[in-house]
Amino acid sequence: MQTMFPVIAILTLMTACATTHAQPATSFTPGKVWPDDKGVHINAHGGGVLYHEGTYYWFGEHKIAGRTGNSAQVGVGVYSSTDLYNWKNEGIALKVVDEQGHDIQRGCILERPKVIYNKTTGKFVMWFHLELKGQGYASARTGVAVADNVTGPYTFIESMRPHAGVWPVNAGDAAKPSKDIDGTWAADRERSIALGSYLRRDFEGGQMSRDMTLFVDDDGKAYHITSSEENRTLHISLLSDDYLSFTDHYVRIFPGGANEAPAICKHNGKYYMITSGLTGWAPNPARSAVADNILGPWKSTGNPARGVNPANGLGPEKTFGGQSTFLLPVHGKPGAFIAMFDVWTPQNPIDGRYIWLPAEFEDGNIIVRYREQWDLSVFDRVNAGD
Ligand code: GAL
């Protein structure tokens, strides 16, 4: 008996380990390694999720190990899931190409890919932040690709600086030559930026577009939301009916507010947005905003983060160590949204972690409370009856 006990204990432990590995996940554990169906940490950074015919598809930047992984060496990865906890690697949806001078040449910077489905054309449309190879973050473009199948392959169409020669609908005085905007640059730089000095500078060549997201409204209209004007002002643009190009209809939001990493959702007829400040890969305090109309006016509602991430001791002052990426509507649960954040690890980007947390609506604000482990049953209590 005395010798049997340890043997049984070891066998039990071995079985437990084997089962743990194969067992499907039933909860979210923010910030931890998140294995896919092959047991490999999910590689879909700066991502977005599309729900299509009973399945969620998570698109994101496919990183490789080491600093080289901060540029696109592979492309956009895609994973599928029916329960949001367990994800199957579906491969590379959009591949970078080796042709010299191509917009999405290997080594370009391709970030924050988002995919939407166009019910009329039956096509899947991907937009992403694109920086041409060898130019750092100077080109500030947005790119578009299209596919017949949700997991791809996506065909690259073009990249651009949008709205060349077009003023936003709320340009106001920015559309006219003005001493405040063009003349007082050195005297009051921040003020002239807020008034539209970069907007005027880029009027002919097209507006800058860096961190971006997409949003499809209930009426099927799709919007491109991006950090423009040297990341100082957000632009929200109505896309064409086929989602493949820009219309001339766009607005400036929070001029001079310096927002990036935009994520948007709609709940009970109101639009909610989470953004970050401008500190690159390093975390900063998140911001939130609410609007009755997606094109504004938007009202600032402060820092949405609540609580502390015990793994790194970071709370609202650093968004738990993460940066906003997407607000994911949970299908079939009205009022249920998952706020997705990336924890960037630029020294080894492939190890970047994901912080997914339930969004809560309190007093007309969107808030995000840290939880070490949670599952979708949270939504039976949070926002229930909203
Ligand atoms: C962040 C941005 C990321 C990436 C990074 C590069 O602010 O949100 O998507 O562009 O800067 O430093």
Side-chain angles (χ1 to χ4, degrees):
M1 278 302 277
Q2 272 157 357
T3 49
M4 277 300 280
F5 179 71
V7 175
I8 292 169
I10 287 165
L11 281 176
T12 317
L13 194 66
M14 283 169 68
T15 325
C17 288
T19 343
T20 310
H21 182 72
Q23 235 167 35
T26 52
S27 63
F28 301 103
T29 49
K32 300 282 187 304
V33 165
W34 195 343
D36 67 7
D37 59 318
K38 307 263 173 16
V40 177
H41 181 51
I42 292 172
N43 195 340
H45 310 265
V49 178
L50 172 71
Y51 179 83
H52 186 72
E53 293 179 350
T55 302
Y56 295 91
Y57 296 89
W58 176 359
F59 297 84
E61 305 160 24
H62 181 103
K63 307 277 199 186
I64 64 161
R67 290 242 167 225
T68 316
N70 292 313
S71 60
Q73 302 298 322
V74 179
V76 174
V78 54
Y79 292 78
S80 65
S81 175
T82 49
D83 63 10
L84 292 166
Y85 308 117
N86 298 282
W87 294 88
K88 176 171 178 249
N89 188 340
E90 299 278 0
I92 301 301
L94 173 69
K95 291 194 170 95
V96 294
V97 301
D98 282 313
E99 187 192 324
Q100 185 72 23
H102 194 287
D103 281 16
I104 58 163
Q105 186 183 351
R106 194 185 309 275
C108 67
I109 292 171
L110 199 165
E111 295 179 336
R112 300 186 175 270
K114 303 286 177 287
V115 173
I116 50 181
Y117 175 64
N118 189 297
K119 286 189 184 137
T120 313
T121 63
K123 306 272 187 200
F124 298 89
V125 180
M126 179 191 292
W127 287 85
F128 47 87
H129 169 197
L130 180 71
E131 300 288 346
L132 303 175
K133 185 176 178 179
Q135 300 183 22
Y137 279 86
S139 37
R141 298 170 79 82
T142 186
V144 58
V146 68
D148 292 324
N149 297 306
V150 58
T151 54
Y154 283 75
T155 306
F156 175 75
I157 301 176
E158 61 172 336
S159 80
M160 72 207 75
R161 277 195 173 191
H163 302 306
V166 181
W167 293 114
V169 294
N170 62 350
D173 290 343
K176 300 184 216 119
S178 128
K179 196 168 135 298
D180 280 342
I181 301 176
D182 303 318
T184 62
W185 179 267
D188 194 345
R189 189 164 174 268
E190 293 304 320
R191 180 159 178 267
S192 62
I193 288 170
L195 287 170
S197 54
Y198 290 129
L199 183 82
R200 291 184 63 75
R201 183 196 68 185
D202 293 335
F203 177 73
E204 270 175 39
Q207 299 297 327
M208 301 177 92
S209 180
R210 291 207 182 101
D211 282 8
M212 51 74 59
T213 193
L214 300 176
F215 178 77
V216 181
D217 212 337
D218 305 327
D219 58 5
K221 288 191 190 316
Y223 298 86
H224 180 277
I225 300 96
T226 192
S227 187
S228 187
E229 302 181 35
E230 302 286 359
N231 300 337
R232 297 311 185 84
T233 297
L234 291 169
H235 288 181
I236 303 188
S237 309
L238 174 66
L239 292 176
S240 57
D241 288 347
D242 61 8
Y243 304 167
L244 295 174
S245 59
F246 282 80
T247 66
D248 285 348
H249 202 76
Y250 76 112
V251 291
R252 300 177 79 217
I253 300 291
F254 298 125
N259 286 283
E260 60 181 11
I264 288 194
C265 70
K266 186 179 188 182
H267 173 54
N268 277 349
K270 288 199 185 297
Y271 301 83
Y272 294 88
M273 176 157 54
I274 296 182
T275 62
S276 76
L278 315 180
T279 52
W281 304 118
N284 57 53
R287 298 101 178 261
S288 68
V290 63
D292 291 327
N293 185 318
I294 188 163
L295 296 172
W298 284 84
K299 185 178 140 244
S300 260
T301 44
N303 189 330
R306 302 283 186 277
V308 173
N309 175 355
N312 55 19
L314 301 177
E317 77 294 349
K318 298 276 183 208
T319 315
F320 321 122
Q323 186 185 26
S324 44
T325 295
F326 196 69
L327 283 163
L328 158 58
V330 179
H331 186 80
K333 284 196 181 244
F337 296 87
I338 299 176
M340 294 166 50
F341 301 85
D342 285 287
V343 179
W344 303 112
T345 50
Q347 69 289 354
N348 189 28
I350 196 172
D351 190 37
R353 304 292 172 82
Y354 312 101
I355 292 183
W356 285 23
L357 293 166
E360 301 176 41
F361 299 93
E362 266 184 20
D363 307 324
N365 295 356
I366 185 167
I367 64 154
V368 181
R369 213 180 292 282
Y370 200 82
R371 293 164 199 257
E372 281 181 78
Q373 184 168 20
W374 64 282
D375 61 44
L376 295 171
S377 71
V378 160
F379 293 114
D380 299 339
R381 303 182 290 277
V382 159
N383 310 332
D386 269 15

